[in-house]
Amino acid sequence: MKSFRSSLLRNIPASFHDTFKPMLSLNGAERPEAKSLLKLTHFGDPLVMTIVYLDSLVQRGNLEKSQFYKNLPNMLKQLPLKICLYRMLPTLFSECSNRDMIPFVLQNILIIAELCSKEEYAVHIFPKLCRIFKMTQPIQIPLLLLKNMRTLLSQTNDGETKAYILPMLFSSIEIENSQLQVCYYILAACIYILYVKISMQSSKF
């Protein structure tokens, strides 16, 4: 049994040995409870705490969730991309069923969109963003999309840009809201760039 435990410990970083040894004990009284493991210093790391907190969000109210999502951008760029794609994104998109929560999660989705490759964006993000492109309320939704237009245009292919992003830009023009005024110069520039791009493609055929 000792040799078995030694072989297991060889596959675990040395800093974790003192933590794992009691878990391998044949005596149940010596093995730590799950609650006590969460108090270990390893779980005090801000990035680990972010992931642990994420798993408990379903039990929390909108106020607590919104505060967590407001602070999340500070952590996303420090997390491995795989964790962002496979742990963060599913939770972020699940919150989009509640329209009031979209402004709080959308900025985080767009940050991940900027970090990932075009292929990852096409598979994990764009298909679920299409529904959000059509929303004009709350006003923070089109505002965030316009402010992050550089990311959207660089990651979305030309055909999907014409089908989804261009209509979103035109619908934004019709929104009467002072908050959008600051984004109108971005909007005008984007529409011009898209038209030039589409015109150049059409002239090839």
Side-chain angles (χ1 to χ4, degrees), residues 1-10 21 24-26:
M1 183 64 189
K2 286 184 178 180
S3 61
F4 174 70
R5 281 187 287 181
S6 297
S7 64
L8 285 177
L9 289 173
R10 280 198 297 270
K21 282 178 181 177
L24 301 174
S25 174
L26 295 174

Side-chain angles (χ1 to χ4, degrees), residues 2-203:
K2 286 184 178 180
S3 61
F4 174 70
R5 281 187 287 181
S6 297
S7 64
L8 285 177
L9 289 173
R10 280 198 297 270
N11 298 318
I12 296 170
S15 60
F16 285 86
H17 284 190
D18 290 340
T19 299
F20 274 89
K21 282 178 181 177
M23 297 183 197
L24 301 174
S25 174
L26 295 174
N27 184 347
E30 295 178 359
R31 292 195 294 271
E33 295 182 358
K35 288 182 179 179
S36 65
L37 294 177
L38 291 175
K39 297 177 182 178
L40 295 171
T41 55
H42 306 295
F43 294 104
D45 180 86
L47 298 180
V48 176
M49 291 176 67
T50 297
I51 297 169
V52 171
Y53 194 87
L54 183 79
D55 292 336
S56 69
L57 276 181
V58 68
Q59 308 166 16
R60 304 180 188 274
N62 283 354
L63 185 60
E64 282 186 86
K65 288 182 181 180
S66 62
Q67 192 58 51
F68 172 77
Y69 291 129
K70 281 181 183 178
N71 296 325
L72 188 56
N74 299 325
M75 293 294 176
L76 284 179
K77 293 183 179 180
Q78 302 177 56
L79 288 169
L81 183 57
K82 283 190 176 180
I83 290 179
C84 291
L85 289 175
Y86 298 105
R87 291 292 302 276
M88 295 293 178
L89 269 182
T91 300
L92 294 172
F93 276 120
S94 70
E95 293 288 358
C96 292
S97 60
N98 179 354
R99 188 178 288 244
D100 292 334
M101 289 301 296
I102 295 178
F104 298 103
V105 300
L106 183 56
Q107 182 61 55
N108 296 295
I109 293 170
L110 294 170
I111 288 173
I112 298 174
E114 184 180 4
L115 295 173
C116 66
S117 67
K118 285 189 176 184
E119 291 75 16
E120 290 164 336
Y121 170 82
V123 172
H124 299 284
I125 299 177
F126 180 79
K128 295 178 181 178
L129 271 184
C130 291
R131 183 175 67 89
I132 298 175
F133 288 150
K134 300 175 182 178
M135 297 181 182
T136 57
Q137 295 294 332
I139 193 62
Q140 289 83 2
I141 295 175
L143 188 63
L144 281 169
L145 292 172
L146 289 175
K147 285 184 175 180
N148 289 274
M149 191 52 58
R150 177 179 293 181
T151 295
L152 293 173
L153 291 177
S154 66
Q155 294 287 52
T156 308
N157 69 44
D158 294 340
E160 290 169 338
T161 296
K162 183 178 179 180
Y164 295 96
I165 294 182
L166 195 55
M168 182 269 288
L169 291 173
F170 281 123
S171 66
S172 297
I173 295 175
E174 300 173 1
I175 302 173
E176 294 183 6
N177 188 283
S178 58
Q179 292 184 60
L180 280 179
Q181 296 294 327
V182 294
C183 287
Y184 280 158
Y185 74 95
I186 301 175
L187 181 57
C190 289
I191 292 175
Y192 174 75
I193 291 168
L194 285 174
Y195 262 126
V196 170
K197 205 172 183 181
I198 292 167
S199 298
M200 289 176 66
Q201 287 180 336
S202 300
S203 65

